[in-house]
Amino acid sequence: MAIDTSMPVLIVDDYKTMLRIIRNLLRQIGIVSVAEAASGADAVSTLRGGRFGMVISDWTLAPMKG
């Protein structure tokens, strides 16, 4: 399966270390267009402001639900 390395990716996590780990893993497979959000609210705002081919998100981002 081919990976579109030009695809913009949004990673969402409230733990900075996890953001760094995921960014580094994406870089290893050639994806360099990566945006980060540290909360659910930040993620919603970022999604409204741009287009992303993939979102990788933490399951629990208090205080948001769902």
Side-chain angles (χ1 to χ4, degrees):
M1 179 169 111
I3 297 172
D4 180 4
T5 57
S6 66
M7 169 180 52
V9 176
L10 173 62
I11 52 177
V12 186
D13 203 300
D14 52 355
Y15 189 51
K16 288 185 180 189
T17 301
M18 188 56 67
L19 289 171
R20 189 182 74 245
I21 290 168
I22 294 169
R23 178 181 284 278
N24 288 337
L25 289 170
L26 291 170
R27 188 177 298 133
Q28 288 178 15
I29 62 173
I31 296 175
V32 294
S33 180
V34 179
E36 296 179 359
S39 71
D42 287 345
V44 170
S45 177
T46 302
L47 285 168
R48 287 186 178 140
R51 297 184 75 174
F52 296 91
M54 179 170 47
V55 175
I56 301 171
S57 178
D58 188 356
W59 189 264
T60 306
L61 292 166
M64 296 184 85
K65 297 179 183 178

